[in-house]
Amino acid sequence: MSTIITPFTDRRMAEIVEKVRSGERLNLEDGVYLYQTDDLLTLGQLANEANLRKNGKKVYFIENMSLYFTNVCESRCAFCNFRKDQGEEGSYTLSGPEMIEYVEQHIHPGIREFHIVGGHNNHVPFQYYVDSLKALNERFPDVTLKAYTAAEIEFFTRISGLSTKEVLEELMKAGLKSLTGGGAEILSDQYRQKMKVDKANVDQYLEVHRTAHQLGMKTHTTMLYGAIESHEDRIRHMMQIRDLQDETGGFLVFIPLSMQPKSKNAGIMRRNSAYEDLKTIAISRLMLDNIDHIKAYFINIGPQLTQVSLSFGASDVHGTILKERISHAAGALTPEGLTRKELVWLIQGAGRIPVERDTFYNEIKVYE
């Protein structure tokens, strides 16, 4: 496929098309312009062209489960409705055996990954987090542990007195294979101050992933958009991720996360528009030329828009998930998970080839 430049494509967009086609990296001004343009179809075609060069028509998914050991959290981020105080109604902290009991009630033989995140619970020691992974790894040795955000890792250094490298090494001994992407929010300290992101700062987030990559671990990374940040903030976020990827090559995928309101009853004016979601996916594909995959996260944007996003640069639709809680604790109106059959149907319906993968994008099964 080749992007069609029409008489309605302005000069600036035509210049960006030529930069992408010639392999020239987009800069800050290019990225901001792409947010400002109303030429959504040319933007989508260009992102689709870039994705097809990297991945062909293959679109990836994984059979996974989302697990949450605790929702008790010392941080009070302005956008979070998942966290609880210790002792507050609805708060919980599960032991390893309790989590194993939960998993055994819901797991099926196709599950390949546990996606584990939770609160920054300072009422338990670091060893609790190590033992949580160890218990799962011993009981389910064939399931990959993708666990904890960079912000959680930074929190662990504070409650343990260990360095980032030492924390990661202890968790790796317990079975950790990859980090989740959360905790990035917007990589701007000004944004984090305004949004009361009382956890890892920009440098700490990036340093955790840098250290993980140096230890041989491949990781995931995100951007939570749709609050007070500017389009320039978003592009600067992507460029910082791109710079670290140039340095380490350790990121597997970039995941733009559309922010959810705090109430399921919130009207459409309190949510990101489909237009903004598609633009962000497409721009992510074009800016992050050194990351193989851009994920469309159906939990936040819905299955139908996820399907459309496969023509706007996305090459991954995440996984089966099973009972997602963080976005749904806010105002997400989407399903808490999808089955393998539904994901295959969704991808094929977009004219793409579904590929079941493992955590590291090794292909398990191609659904021709």
Side-chain angles (χ1 to χ4, degrees), residues 15-30:
E15 290 173 352
I16 290 174
V17 169
E18 288 309 308
K19 286 182 77 170
V20 172
R21 284 179 173 171
S22 64
E24 185 178 347
R25 178 164 279 183
L26 300 187
N27 59 30
L28 176 66
E29 291 73 23
D30 295 328

Side-chain angles (χ1 to χ4, degrees), residues 51-52 55-61 310 314-317 343-357 363 365-368:
N51 176 53
L52 289 173
N55 299 298
K57 288 195 171 184
K58 290 182 175 180
V59 173
Y60 295 82
F61 71 93
L310 302 183
S315 60
D316 188 282
V317 296
L343 288 170
V344 169
W345 173 87
L346 183 151
I347 295 166
Q348 289 178 333
R352 302 296 164 116
I353 301 169
V355 181
E356 187 174 351
R357 63 171 175 86
E363 297 182 2
K365 181 177 180 181
V366 178
Y367 294 79
E368 296 287 359

Side-chain angles (χ1 to χ4, degrees), residues 16 20 24-26 34 42-44 46-51 53 242 281-289 294:
I16 290 174
V20 172
E24 185 178 347
R25 178 164 279 183
L26 300 187
L34 291 175
T42 300
L43 170 59
L46 188 59
N48 188 45
E49 184 180 328
N51 176 53
R53 282 199 300 269
R242 188 172 72 182
I281 288 170
I283 293 168
S284 298
R285 176 63 287 160
L286 295 173
M287 293 300 299
L288 294 163
D289 51 39
I294 304 298

Side-chain angles (χ1 to χ4, degrees), residues 60-74:
Y60 295 82
F61 71 93
I62 188 170
E63 289 247 40
N64 64 348
M65 290 181 68
S66 289
L67 304 180
Y68 311 85
F69 273 92
T70 181
N71 62 354
V72 175
C73 190
E74 67 171 13

Side-chain angles (χ1 to χ4, degrees), residues 81 261-267 271 325 327-334 336:
N81 207 40
K262 283 199 170 185
S263 169
K264 292 181 184 293
N265 298 320
R271 300 172 184 274
R325 295 183 188 177
S327 291
H328 285 89
L333 302 174
T334 55
E336 293 181 335

Side-chain angles (χ1 to χ4, degrees), residues 183-201:
E185 323 315 355
I186 294 293
L187 293 176
S188 157
D189 284 328
Q190 183 180 25
Y191 167 95
R192 297 168 98 77
Q193 183 178 8
K194 288 182 178 179
M195 290 297 289
K196 300 178 182 177
V197 184
D198 186 22
K199 53 187 178 184
N201 63 30

Side-chain angles (χ1 to χ4, degrees), residues 302-347:
Q304 288 85 356
L305 195 58
T306 293
Q307 191 175 52
V308 175
S309 75
L310 302 183
S311 294
F312 280 73
S315 60
D316 188 282
V317 296
H318 196 54
T320 50
I321 299 177
L322 300 181
K323 297 187 181 297
E324 192 281 337
R325 295 183 188 177
I326 292 179
S327 291
H328 285 89
L333 302 174
T334 55
E336 293 181 335
L338 292 174
T339 66
R340 176 199 290 158
K341 186 175 181 180
E342 287 171 329
L343 288 170
V344 169
W345 173 87
L346 183 151
I347 295 166

